[in-house]
Amino acid sequence: MREFVATFHTHLSALRSCNALKKVGIPNARLAPVPRKLSSSCGTCAFYQSEEPMLQCMDADFEAVYEKVGEEYTLLHQNEE
C-alpha cells in the first residue's frame, strides 16, 4: 500500500476530496495540516493510503498529489487548472 498527500487551494476542496476518497472505499483518508516541506494555498491536506493516487477523487480545485515515502515527498501530479 502506498501513502499519498493531496494539497488544495481551498478548505472546501480538501473536504470534498477526502469525502470522495472515503466514498470509494479508502477509510483511512484524513484531513491534516500541510507538512512544512510542502506548500498549499489553504494549509489543509489529505493523507491517504491506496494502490494508486486516486486522481479521479480529487476535487477540481486540488493543487497537487505527492507520494510519501518515509519523510520524503515526490510530486506525482500538479493540477494545471
Side-chain angles (χ1 to χ4, degrees):
M1 194 69 65
R2 298 162 64 191
E3 187 171 359
F4 300 97
V5 180
T7 59
F8 303 90
H9 293 290
T10 65
H11 294 289
L12 181 59
S13 182
L15 182 60
R16 285 179 177 164
S17 297
C18 192
N19 287 341
L21 288 164
K22 289 179 181 180
K23 195 172 193 175
V24 297
I26 301 182
N28 60 12
R30 64 183 173 83
L31 296 178
V34 174
R36 289 184 183 198
K37 291 182 178 183
L38 306 178
S39 65
S40 172
S41 297
C42 75
T44 302
C45 72
F47 282 95
Y48 58 99
Q49 293 178 343
S50 177
E51 295 297 326
E52 60 181 90
M54 303 302 291
L55 296 176
Q56 68 274 20
C57 291
M58 296 298 117
D59 190 67
D61 202 22
F62 85 97
E63 185 176 36
V65 174
Y66 300 84
E67 183 169 11
K68 183 177 187 263
V69 178
E71 295 302 315
E72 298 299 317
Y73 300 89
T74 302
L75 178 65
L76 297 179
H77 185 80
Q78 183 87 33
N79 191 4
E80 300 298 325
E81 291 184 22

